[in-house]
Amino acid sequence: MTDSGLAPLPAPDRPDSAARLRDALLAASFTADGLLDLLGPAAYAALARSETVPALRATRGDTPLETLVRLFLLQQPVPHARVVGVLPVEDALEAGWLTRVGGDEVAATVDVRPYGGPGGEDWFIVSDLGCAVGGAGGIGRRDERVVLGVGGASTTLAGITVRTPVTSALDLGTGSGIQALHAAQHATRVTATDLNPRALHITALTLALSGAPAADLREGSLFEPVRSDETFDLIVSNPPFVISPRARLTYRDGGMGGDDLCRSLVQEAGERLNEGGFAQFLANWQHVAGEDWQDRLRSWVPRGCDAWIVQREVQDVTQYAELWLRDAGDHRGDPAEYQARYDAWLDEFEARKVRAVGFGWITLRRTGSAEPVVTVEEWPHPVEQPLGETIRAHFDRLDYLRAHDDAALLDSHFKLAAEVVQEQVGLPGAEDPEHVVLRQHRGMRRATKVDTVGAGFAGVCDGTLSAGRILDAIAQLVGEDPVLLRDRTPAQIRLLVEQGFLEPVR
């Protein structure tokens, strides 16, 4: 496949060549662990920022691994004789992984980056030359068809995705195939779509070189290539969510006004999910003057779906415009052109009365309940990835709480979740704390204030006594009417269960 202005890509229909290349890469320890051992932490981290000088200095020898790093990660031509014995050179040339340059040198046609799977798998992510990480600003590329490799958004989505075994999974806007690669480990059938045919080509290469099953690759925007009667157990997407005045770069600019692309994606996902299925997205959304951003997002949620929406970051419109102008490399060009583009972004936001832009995660789950639960919250604090199991457990707890009224809740047994600690906050020497905080050290790492009863209740929850019996004992200790305590405490128990501090003992 040849694109004007972009390098020809290796043949996607040569799995034998991909398998031989994979064997050679693994034999030379061209893996995530092997790179860290060779480069050291500083150069390895710099490479993840698209800074190549430390890695160039660390690969001045002639070992097989140094040769491969220079060839596939640093895009340096390497003498043909040096590659012989490291790779099946003639096979790689014929299949298009390598090309001849100069008199006696070869060069890579694509960037190949080792990527460690969640179970210790040695995978490889293929992308366009110089596009393994970061945006186009980091590598000076402006072609709208360029296909990027692994970035922070990619790994975030992979980490929050629920990884239960499923029959069918759909990766919308697959890019270099990272989400499809993850899904292939727990889905019987993976479908991947992308508007950019070059991205589908590269996804096929990523899967083949990683030793993963091939996916059903379909060209088109988002759900367009999906038949109206097709449904899935899992839908994931790291869409081109950037809110920009005009679509310049296919990999990031969705081509719809404002946050309409993310809204449409979320709204259309509901009817594409099987019962109990999850849809998980990264998204941007507008904060519009005179409008509650949480209400805006609640209006996106399709009927018949529970939802958990987490806002991780908010940027004012100037910060947001500068971020993506730099991503496109506009700050490196003509200052007048940069200023004009900056003005265009601010004009667009002003016309839409947008004051800021939020970024975060959206998870939907198709539910048979007549009363879906929609949670929208702001959580900019550190979390512990991967969060897929935490997210799955959140929706399980919603089912539990829906099925238990207050009376049933008081008859239930609970235990304190693992690695929850209690903190007492107050003035030094004070007889009683001003307040008590329960804090998680896993998953979302939440903290919540509780009263004395809540703290005492959580502290003795080990699954042996029902909630009602625990409250009766507390009432006796503090001299309170047990009936009144039973009446006012279920709301606090529900909150502790919903946020994962307490786990029902089934």
Side-chain angles (χ1 to χ4, degrees):
M1 175 179 179
T2 302
D3 286 301
S4 176
L6 292 174
L9 295 173
D13 55 354
R14 293 284 302 274
D16 53 341
S17 294
R20 285 190 286 270
L21 178 58
R22 172 179 171 79
D23 289 343
L25 297 178
L26 294 177
S29 296
F30 188 66
T31 64
D33 289 340
L35 285 185
L36 182 58
D37 289 341
L38 172 68
L39 302 178
Y44 187 83
L47 194 59
R49 300 190 300 269
S50 293
E51 295 291 349
T52 59
V53 172
L56 283 167
R57 293 175 60 85
T59 55
R60 289 175 287 192
D62 59 359
T63 66
L65 182 54
E66 288 170 297
T67 298
L68 294 176
V69 171
R70 284 192 163 250
L71 191 63
F72 286 113
L73 291 186
L74 303 178
Q75 282 87 57
Q76 299 295 306
V78 176
H80 181 281
R82 183 173 167 183
V83 182
V84 172
V86 178
L87 296 176
V89 180
E90 298 309 317
D91 187 48
L93 286 166
E94 182 182 350
W97 293 96
L98 301 177
T99 186
R100 296 184 185 275
V101 294
D104 62 349
E105 293 183 317
V106 296
T109 58
V110 289
D111 193 305
V112 175
R113 180 159 300 241
Y115 179 76
E121 302 92 346
D122 289 315
W123 291 340
F124 300 97
I125 307 300
V126 180
S127 61
D128 273 311
L129 292 172
C131 300
V133 294
I139 43 86
R141 284 296 189 91
R142 293 172 179 267
D143 194 300
E144 65 174 16
R145 295 156 299 172
V146 73
V147 179
L148 302 186
V150 180
S154 302
T155 55
T156 293
L157 179 58
I160 68 172
T161 300
V162 175
R163 297 296 175 193
T164 53
V166 295
T167 299
S168 56
L170 173 63
D171 177 14
L172 294 172
T174 188
S176 58
I178 301 162
Q179 308 308 325
L181 177 58
H182 277 276
Q185 310 310 302
H186 64 104
T188 304
R189 184 176 68 256
V190 177
T191 302
T193 73
D194 205 289
L195 181 63
N196 183 2
R198 188 175 180 89
L200 296 177
H201 189 148
I202 283 181
T203 291
L205 298 175
T206 289
L207 294 173
L209 196 57
S210 297
D216 178 4
L217 304 176
R218 305 183 192 179
E219 182 179 344
S221 178
L222 302 178
F223 286 108
E224 286 178 4
V226 180
R227 297 192 312 270
S228 59
D229 62 343
E230 284 185 283
T231 55
F232 301 86
D233 303 310
L234 174 66
I235 299 172
V236 293
S237 185
N238 176 18
F241 53 64
V242 176
I243 300 171
S244 59
R246 60 189 180 90
R248 294 173 55 202
L249 299 170
T250 301
Y251 73 85
R252 66 163 215 195
D253 303 312
M256 297 186 188
D259 53 16
D260 285 351
L261 182 138
C262 291
R263 175 185 55 79
S264 298
L265 180 62
V266 173
Q267 290 179 336
E268 292 177 26
E271 62 185 20
R272 304 289 188 173
L273 282 175
N274 293 324
E275 191 71 23
F278 285 91
Q280 298 186 264
F281 315 105
L282 301 186
N284 275 180
W285 43 79
Q286 298 173 148
H287 285 230
V288 179
E291 178 181 288
D292 187 305
W293 68 270
Q294 293 182 327
D295 289 342
R296 181 183 190 85
L297 289 172
R298 287 190 183 94
S299 73
W300 291 9
V301 177
R303 294 181 62 184
C305 288
D306 291 327
W308 185 15
I309 302 173
V310 181
Q311 179 167 274
R312 295 287 290 159
E313 183 180 2
V314 181
Q315 291 185 326
D316 67 49
V317 293
T318 59
Q319 292 173 309
Y320 190 81
E322 290 164 13
L323 170 67
W324 295 110
L325 286 167
R326 290 179 179 275
D327 173 86
D330 292 334
H331 61 301
R332 297 179 175 178
D334 177 26
E337 184 177 354
Y338 172 78
Q339 183 174 343
R341 284 179 172 159
Y342 199 150
D343 267 333
W345 282 70
L346 297 186
D347 285 344
E348 178 81 5
F349 285 133
E350 184 176 339
R352 294 178 176 274
K353 299 182 180 180
V354 177
R355 299 293 182 260
V357 177
F359 168 83
W361 320 324
I362 298 177
T363 299
L364 307 177
R365 186 192 58 169
R366 190 77 186 177
T367 177
S369 172
E371 300 180 356
V373 176
V374 176
T375 302
V376 184
E377 63 176 320
E378 186 165 17
W379 191 255
H381 311 294
V383 298
E384 181 189 46
Q385 284 275 36
L387 276 170
E389 180 59 24
T390 298
I391 290 174
R392 185 202 60 75
H394 168 85
F395 287 93
D396 284 350
R397 292 193 299 271
L398 291 186
D399 285 341
Y400 176 86
L401 291 171
R402 253 194 304 249
H404 289 73
D405 60 16
D406 286 356
L409 203 67
L410 292 175
D411 284 338
S412 299
H413 295 239
F414 301 94
K415 66 177 182 179
L416 192 65
E419 298 193 40
V420 173
V421 298
Q422 176 179 304
E423 299 175 357
Q424 297 188 163
V425 180
L427 294 173
E431 184 176 345
D432 296 312
E434 292 180 17
H435 57 262
V436 178
V437 174
L438 298 181
R439 187 178 302 276
Q440 300 168 347
H441 285 276
R442 304 296 302 273
M444 292 293 288
R445 294 178 175 168
R446 293 187 185 277
T448 188
K449 289 183 183 180
V450 291
D451 59 18
T452 303
V453 171
F457 179 87
V460 298
C461 277
D462 60 3
T464 57
L465 296 176
S466 69
R469 291 190 62 186
I470 292 174
L471 290 178
D472 290 345
I474 292 175
Q476 187 173 6
L477 285 173
V478 299
E480 189 169 340
D481 185 333
V483 174
L484 294 178
L485 193 61
R486 279 173 171 255
D487 285 343
R488 70 178 175 85
T489 307
Q492 188 170 190
I493 296 174
R494 286 185 181 278
L495 180 63
L496 293 175
V497 172
E498 181 182 345
Q499 293 189 342
F501 290 94
L502 294 179
E503 297 175 352
V505 178
R506 303 184 188 278

